[in-house]
Amino acid sequence: MIAVDEKNDLKVDTDTPGGGPRSGMIQEINRTKYHGMVIGKIASAFHRVRVGTKIRDLAEALLENENIFALGVVDEADRVTGIVVRRDLFDILGKPFGRDLYTNKTVEKVMKPAVRFDAATNIFAVAEELAGTLNASVIGYYVLTGGGDVFAGVFSSKDLLICLSEMTRTDIELARRLQAGMVREEFMEGSPRFAVVGASSMAKGVGGDYYSIRRYDGVRRLLAVCDVSGKGIAASLVTAIIDGMLSIYDFSGGLRHFIIRLNEYIALTFQSERFVTGVFADFDEHSGEVVLYDLGHSYIFVYRDGRLSKITTKDDNIPLGIQRDILPRSARFTLQRDDLLIIITDGIIEQLNPGGEQYGIKRLAGKIQEFRHKGLKRIKDELFADIAGFRGREVQHDDMTMILLEYRN
């Protein structure tokens, strides 16, 4: 018979042949509430058994409690002396003559040394210490202790992996929300002189593409399209840095100085482990002049008179973050009436279909020509829809970002 007493101690009361009652042999301790990122929060088992307990009695009690997978072994002062793992105990008893050899002996003969952690230890410190064992095929069990090495519970490698996975999921969701605030799916702006649309579609929720369209001096606007190496949270951190610096920078010192400072910050912060290809353009809506810095990006086009032409800057600017000191060089050109400036990331033209073919520049040019006079939003929508149809069942391999600017003057 199983009963729970007023102290929440689990008791197993069964008479055994030739032995006394097993009342109170397996006990469940009261659970302590922990605050902060400490390992005690993830404990999943709170059962203990005292030294001197007969193996036979423990085995039969465990058979009646299928949800107990591991329990601490404690002395009379509740100090930890070892751990018993259910599967290991029954493996021993299931061997030839195992039951005959062990059942009349005490639990000390089968318990293992307990790998123990203070329940107030930081979860990440424990994860780092156990990193080499977390991917093992067999679940590991570890004992938690409180003051004076008193038993405080048991956690498993599975508990720790679930906890870390949930933290990662939460962090990714937070990063996704933050990035969505910085890199909008769509942005549109215009005046009688020009119209511009920016858009981005992330491949995995959190990505490394970034774009920005900002007015900073009357008729002047900054256009930026960046592609951070890698994906995930690390890449999103770089986009956050770019967005933050763009938000607070005083561009009266010039775009070139901004690029130098941004590169220095990324290089120092990420120690060349992340780099950024990018296009930064200073657009004058009155004159149509564009001052362009192409930092290893090169996906810049102008659609004019029914033809899509690639802009080549003939410079040797390297991506941001590779080395601390750079001297970026600019290129200049002037948009003509009805020109369409197009800046994209490689995820658009390099998207594959199920046959392994890339979307390519030719198909991009065809869609632009087809919808050139339907407005920039229509062009953007049709391009994304066509890419989705092109890839079919193939996954979106990379982030896709674009800025389309129509000069009307």
Side-chain angles (χ1 to χ4, degrees):
M1 179 182 71
I2 302 174
V4 180
D5 71 5
E6 294 179 357
K7 296 181 179 180
N8 293 325
D9 282 351
L10 178 66
K11 295 183 178 180
V12 183
D13 300 328
T14 306
D15 290 337
T16 59
R22 295 195 301 273
S23 176
M25 182 182 61
I26 295 180
Q27 297 177 320
E28 184 175 15
I29 66 170
N30 292 319
R31 305 185 182 196
T32 302
K33 290 185 178 180
Y34 296 96
H35 302 282
M37 303 300 294
V38 298
I39 196 65
K41 292 180 69 172
I42 73 166
S44 60
F46 301 88
H47 301 94
R48 67 188 178 192
V49 64
R50 297 200 184 278
V51 295
T53 300
K54 292 290 184 67
I55 295 173
R56 173 190 60 204
D57 296 340
L58 175 60
E60 292 185 11
L62 288 174
L63 287 174
E64 297 175 6
N65 293 271
E66 295 181 355
N67 293 325
I68 300 177
F69 296 100
L71 65 167
V73 180
V74 300
D75 61 16
E76 292 302 318
D78 293 332
R79 294 187 298 262
V80 174
T81 63
I83 186 172
V84 173
V85 177
R86 180 190 189 95
R87 63 165 184 266
D88 296 340
L89 174 61
F90 286 112
D91 282 347
I92 291 171
L93 297 181
K95 292 179 179 179
F97 307 107
R99 188 170 293 272
D100 294 334
L101 290 171
Y102 286 98
T103 55
N104 288 319
K105 292 182 171 61
T106 59
V107 69
E108 294 93 314
K109 294 293 184 181
V110 292
M111 74 179 186
K112 292 184 174 182
V115 178
R116 64 191 76 184
F117 295 93
D118 188 297
T121 305
N122 182 272
I123 288 175
F124 296 108
V126 175
E128 184 175 355
E129 185 170 339
L130 297 178
T133 63
L134 289 181
N135 291 325
S137 58
V138 178
I139 297 174
Y141 293 90
Y142 310 95
V143 173
L144 295 171
T145 61
D149 210 28
V150 172
F151 175 74
V154 175
F155 74 95
S156 69
S157 55
K158 181 179 178 181
D159 297 327
L160 183 54
L161 285 171
I162 290 173
C163 175
L164 295 174
S165 176
E166 178 60 22
M167 288 181 185
T168 300
R169 187 199 65 77
T170 302
D171 287 347
I172 290 174
E173 176 58 24
L174 175 60
R176 186 196 66 77
R177 294 200 306 269
L178 291 174
Q179 192 171 48
M182 296 182 293
V183 187
R184 287 186 264 180
E185 289 187 4
E186 179 180 276
F187 174 84
M188 298 183 65
E189 186 183 15
S191 75
R193 295 180 181 275
F194 80 101
V196 64
V197 61
S200 189
S201 174
M202 300 299 175
K204 297 181 179 179
V206 180
D209 273 15
Y210 175 82
Y211 78 89
S212 180
I213 302 167
R214 299 172 187 265
R215 184 173 68 177
Y216 71 92
D217 181 20
V219 297
R220 304 185 75 86
R221 277 167 177 74
L222 172 69
L223 310 178
V225 173
C226 299
D227 187 354
V228 182
S229 63
K231 298 292 177 287
I233 294 177
S236 73
L237 287 175
V238 182
T239 65
I241 288 171
I242 298 171
D243 186 72
M245 290 191 69
L246 279 170
S247 298
I248 65 174
Y249 197 77
D250 179 7
F251 285 96
S252 61
L255 184 54
R256 183 173 185 268
H257 188 254
F258 166 77
I259 293 170
I260 291 172
R261 293 294 303 276
L262 177 62
N263 171 79
E264 181 181 28
Y265 189 88
I266 294 174
L268 288 174
T269 302
F270 293 93
Q271 297 295 306
S272 302
E273 293 182 3
R274 286 288 184 272
F275 64 87
V276 182
T277 65
V279 175
F280 294 87
D282 186 337
F283 166 65
D284 186 328
E285 67 171 278
H286 182 75
S287 66
E289 183 183 54
V290 178
V291 179
L292 185 75
Y293 289 86
D294 181 3
L295 300 154
H297 192 81
S298 302
Y299 295 102
I300 314 157
F301 306 87
V302 169
Y303 186 83
R304 176 184 294 169
D305 297 330
R307 296 183 60 185
L308 186 69
S309 302
K310 187 173 183 179
I311 299 295
T312 56
T313 58
K314 296 183 180 179
D315 59 43
D316 55 358
N317 294 332
I318 64 173
L320 300 172
I322 291 180
Q323 63 186 42
R324 179 175 175 178
D325 299 315
I326 62 171
L327 296 173
R329 295 192 298 174
S330 65
R332 294 173 182 264
F333 63 92
T334 300
L335 294 173
Q336 299 177 11
R337 182 181 178 87
D338 293 330
D339 277 357
L340 179 60
L341 175 65
I342 302 156
I343 308 173
I344 62 173
T345 56
D346 57 3
I348 291 177
I349 60 175
E350 293 181 2
Q351 174 62 51
L352 301 177
N353 67 9
E357 299 173 306
Q358 290 189 348
Y359 187 78
I361 294 175
K362 185 176 180 180
R363 188 164 180 137
L364 173 74
K367 279 296 165 184
I368 292 173
Q369 183 175 30
E370 182 179 355
F371 296 97
R372 174 64 186 91
H373 300 292
K374 302 294 185 181
L376 297 186
K377 177 174 170 55
R378 179 70 181 277
I379 295 174
K380 183 269 296 183
D381 290 342
E382 292 292 343
L383 276 172
F384 278 148
D386 191 55
I387 294 168
F390 174 80
R391 68 180 177 87
R393 296 186 301 275
E394 191 73 19
V395 299
Q396 181 180 333
H397 294 287
D398 200 358
D399 307 327
M400 300 187 299
T401 300
M402 68 176 72
I403 287 180
L404 307 176
L405 186 146
E406 179 184 52
Y407 188 56
R408 298 168 174 169
N409 193 22

